[in-house]
Amino acid sequence: PARLVFNRQETSSCSEEIVIPEFGVRKFLPPHEKTPVSITPDKSGTFDITCGMSMLHGKLVVEG
């Protein structure tokens, strides 16, 4: 299991939601707050992270 903490420090509507499709995550991120997201990776790899509008992108790297 892993616990990711997203610390949203602004109010742009594009950053109000985090999506990690591989792990079924779609979570609202309140502005100026830390939001924990728990996942349980079952394999190693690099997984996409996006905002709800798919304009902001990142990668989650899971090492086994």
Side-chain angles (χ1 to χ4, degrees):
R3 183 174 183 251
L4 310 172
V5 178
F6 294 90
N7 187 3
R8 181 176 175 216
Q9 291 300 307
E10 48 86 42
T11 58
S12 169
S13 61
C14 190
S15 65
E16 68 186 14
E17 188 175 36
I18 189 76
V19 180
I20 312 173
E22 184 74 27
F23 299 103
V25 171
R26 184 173 209 102
K27 181 118 180 165
F28 177 75
L29 303 176
H32 307 290
E33 290 185 25
K34 293 180 180 179
T35 304
V37 174
S38 296
I39 61 170
T40 304
D42 59 357
K43 61 184 174 184
S44 299
T46 301
F47 306 98
D48 292 328
I49 298 176
T50 69
C51 67
M53 293 185 238
S54 199
M55 293 177 68
L56 301 174
H57 299 269
K59 299 285 183 188
L60 172 65
V61 178
V62 176
E63 298 177 344

